[in-house]
Amino acid sequence: MSAAVLGLAAGALTALPALPAAALTPPVGFTADALSTYQTNGIVWSLAEANGVVYAGGTFSGIRPAGSPAGSGTTPAVNFAAFDAATGAPTGCSLSFTRSSGTATVRALAVSPDKSTLYVGGYFNAVNGTAVNGLTAVDTATCRPRTGFSPQFGATVRALDVAADGTVYAGGDFQTVNGTARRFFGAVTPAGALTGWNPDADEPGRTLRVTPDGDSVLIGGDFFTVGGTASHALAVTSPATGAVTHAYGATFIPSSAVIKDIVTDAASDGWYAAGEGSGPTSFDGRLAMELDGFGQRWRDTCQGATQAVRVHEGVLYAGSHVHDCSSMGGFPNQGRKHLTAQSVDSPDLLGWLPDTNDGVGEPVGPRALTVSSKGGRDFLWVGGEFTTVNGTGQQALTRFANTPDTGAPPAPAVSVSAPRAGEVEVRWRSSLDLDDSLLTYRVYRDGGATPVYTATGTSLFFSRPQLTFTDRNVVAGRSYSYRITASDGTNTSAPSTAVPVTAASSASPYQEKVLADGADLYWRYDEAGGAFAADASASGNGGVYMNAPSYRATPSAVAGSAALSLNGTDEYVYSDRLHRYTSPTPYSVETWFRTTSSSGGRIVGYGNNIGTERGHTSGLSDKLLYLTDDGRLAFGVQSGSTRPTITSAVSYNDGAWHHAVATQGPSGMVLYVDGEAVGTNQATGNRSYNGFWRVGGDAMSGAWPNRPTSVYFAGQVDETAVYPSALTAAQVAAHHALAGTPPGPGDSTVTLTPDEDAYVNSVAANTNYDDSQLASRGTTAYLSYLRFTLPSAPAGRVLTSARLTFRTSSDSTAGSADRHSIVPVTGAWTESAVTYTTRPALSTSALGTITGAASVSTGYAAELDASALGGALGSATSLALTSNGTDSLRIWSSEATTAYRPQLVLTFGVE
């Protein structure tokens, strides 16, 4: 990647002054919104356009409208179809390409420069029943094959282009044309007569293109020699003779790779090639080459078998299944992405990412691209072997337009904290819009209609930076809530779920010491749910919670903060941004942990991947803090072929909280536990590579000393920090000593889970529902009841805020767009006996309202009237969930797993 993208991946992104976002972030020229387009029932291998018509050739027998499932609504179309570029519907141009034996297919389409003739190549010997052999010409005005044009190709034609003088250049599997030897490349006149162009390659041709000036023909394919000249996969040839005028040596394209497509672009004075290789060191990406001199401008070495490329207004669009750009310093091996965009000036991936699936056939997804214009709009057409587009069923064809952009970005994931007196920190993970990398964010407080802060930020699918707003217009002891929207300039997301917070009157001494000592990644794990782990440092190194670990675990290691529970199977947290470490740069890793596991596990580590699927875990691991099966703590690095490791003599799987710090610097490695050094090692070096911090688990090879049975950690973690320096013994001891020190006088918070909860159903009026879910609906009625034992207010304190937190269940109808009221219960009930018939009476006044809880398996919170609830302190009180609407809300009850249970959060402040 270029320095620009490397800087985006590695540098801290802070909120910028608000600049207007555009509906499409330049230079991207197409939206990611797939338009309604007819489909085929097989593979589309080639596309071409002329006069507002798009032609598709492939291996199929019919077409059907968008939305029609396979096998329904099919109209016959034998290996060829024509469509209106602006509507995606058939034009009525119908040609049938067949063979007397074998499977016929159309593999190449090209249009003459004057747009009057469409040339069709492939493996067929008849068009509409008239004999042809591998290549035919079609009048675009009448959709009729031209008479008198009947060249004979000995095997499949896979590539075509037409010169200004009408010469038709072809490449493929054939070794004869019109009965004369032409190995894999040949050309014919507009009348079908053989020309003298004879590159004479030793392996098949896959693609070719006449340069805009007509002075050269670029060829690509499987070959290793052209006319006896060594030139693998690419060559520049004379348009008259086929002689090589510019060759590419044996190392330019690896022997394990071929070139699948070439496109020229006069505006950028360049040509671009698509590579497909085998193996991690082959070539699967894109090449940008010069038309003047034919040298390389840049090379994209991402892995993922590029099949097709097209240039439109300075952007190179590609069809591939890119999945690993780590060789360019980009994202690691992950799930496949099938459509990408890059500037013609740089290999950096742009913010354009509609997607298909792999589909049928090999499968590799898209196979062909073309651009067409009609009615003042531009369209990018995509053909291939896919069966879905953007997650919706659509086979082999789709298209995108330059306007309008109708897709709104998703709402940001938000985390709010009150780190010190007079401040509320609002942090959010930047949203991912598939065609708008630059978004505008607006922060709203307490349900207001005017934003209190506006900023812009850039994100890509592999780089979702954290942004931060510090609200200093707050009063200690008062409760606030924050929501954020994301806008691309045309479309705006729904507001994020309101996140409440009570402004503090003092700071955590532990937190302030960690920040003062320079932490540039600091995860406190205070989120109530969701996938976003906020970084409390100024570096914006947010993290991602994977597989829904248990949030807000208690007791925590540090006063005033919650902890995170991990299941030891698949739950972990990873840094949302690529980091770069070059040995021997000093660093420190710090965390608190608590476990009784006898299977060990990785607590904190650095690796080169972020996933859990096979091949998506880290192949490189370094800077590890892990627990052995017998509970001892180990700190290890990779240095050359060795793994210098410190292992404690004492076990720490005793169920108590322990403080671990690992440092490495000019004096070597030190491992501290509970404020004291437990081991040292003189090694100063470690592995230099790009990677991600992970907490909770990742792959570990058997070369690590005392490798644990489980590479995932089962237990709790708290206050994880990474520093760009080696902490001193005094600093480590000070951190340990401050953990139990509470903030100064000010607020205190109590979190309660229900003593009892149940719901009733008017349809089954005499049935008691005491299970893992609660429900609320007006018609037909559901009501839910929750009982809490409220504590008395601490001396000198009053109840300043209260909120009910809950998580919608995984039921497909769990989310609700309706309003649901939280009402005091005045009648008697018990969890084991309450039914709709015996339901208790309710107060006439609500304590709070649930709105916007529309998603399933999502955490929400509703603010309650603290002054009204304050009178019930020191006693048991019951709350009911009720509604007048028809859309049911389903949430997890106290019978669910700990992390999903409803909670009543009470905050007490100075009277």
Side-chain angles (χ1 to χ4, degrees), residues 3 117 267 406 508 763 799 801 908:
T117 305
T406 60
S508 160
V763 174
L799 185 66
S801 71
F908 298 93

Side-chain angles (χ1 to χ4, degrees), residues 290-453:
E290 299 171 340
L291 280 171
D292 181 11
F294 303 107
Q296 177 181 299
R297 287 178 175 167
W298 53 258
R299 179 182 295 235
D300 166 350
T301 59
C302 294
Q303 294 291 304
T306 307
Q307 303 296 307
V309 288
R310 282 297 179 272
V311 174
H312 178 66
E313 294 188 352
V315 175
L316 178 67
Y317 296 90
S320 70
H321 55 256
V322 59
H323 58 90
D324 185 353
C325 288
S326 57
S327 62
M328 298 203 311
F331 60 90
N333 190 25
Q334 290 293 293
R336 293 177 168 188
K337 309 293 182 182
H338 297 86
L339 293 169
T340 58
Q342 297 156 292
S343 166
V344 293
D345 298 321
S346 167
D348 305 351
L349 291 179
L350 299 173
W352 185 77
L353 206 77
D355 204 10
T356 72
N357 65 353
D358 287 343
V360 298
E362 285 189 40
V364 298
R367 290 284 191 176
L369 303 173
T370 198
V371 175
S372 183
S373 299
K374 188 174 183 181
R377 299 170 73 196
D378 298 332
F379 300 90
L380 175 67
W381 281 70
V382 182
E385 52 193 19
F386 49 86
T387 57
T388 67
V389 178
N390 291 343
T392 299
Q394 175 73 18
Q395 186 170 2
L397 277 174
T398 191
R399 63 198 175 103
F400 305 91
N402 60 333
T403 185
D405 180 11
T406 60
V414 182
S415 177
V416 178
S417 65
R420 54 187 63 86
E423 292 184 7
V424 166
E425 293 278 3
V426 184
R427 303 180 177 95
W428 65 97
R429 188 188 191 203
S430 50
S431 297
L432 176 63
D433 189 298
L434 297 183
D435 48 31
D436 304 288
S437 56
L438 179 67
L439 299 177
T440 298
Y441 300 92
R442 296 178 176 88
V443 182
Y444 299 86
R445 188 173 72 179
D446 296 338
T450 302
V452 294
Y453 183 70

Side-chain angles (χ1 to χ4, degrees), residues 513 517 659 672 675-677 726-738:
K513 181 62 173 170
D517 285 341
H659 179 230
Y672 300 87
E676 297 182 356
L727 295 178
T728 65
Q731 287 174 313
V732 172
H735 290 199
H736 180 254
L738 286 171

Side-chain angles (χ1 to χ4, degrees), residues 504-582:
S505 58
S506 59
S508 160
Y510 182 91
Q511 167 200 267
E512 295 301 278
K513 181 62 173 170
V514 168
L515 295 175
D517 285 341
D520 62 2
L521 182 155
Y522 184 19
W523 296 338
R524 305 205 70 197
Y525 307 119
D526 287 342
E527 287 76 26
F532 174 50
D535 176 19
S537 84
S539 298
N541 280 308
V544 179
Y545 293 116
M546 292 297 294
N547 301 316
S550 297
Y551 307 94
R552 300 194 65 80
T554 56
S556 61
V558 172
S561 178
L564 184 73
S565 287
L566 301 166
N567 64 5
T569 303
D570 62 357
E571 295 172 353
Y572 63 101
V573 192
Y574 71 83
S575 57
D576 207 10
R577 197 174 70 207
L578 194 67
H579 294 76
R580 288 167 173 79
Y581 281 90
T582 302

Side-chain angles (χ1 to χ4, degrees), residues 34 69 190 281 299 890:
T281 61
R299 179 182 295 235
R890 290 185 175 273

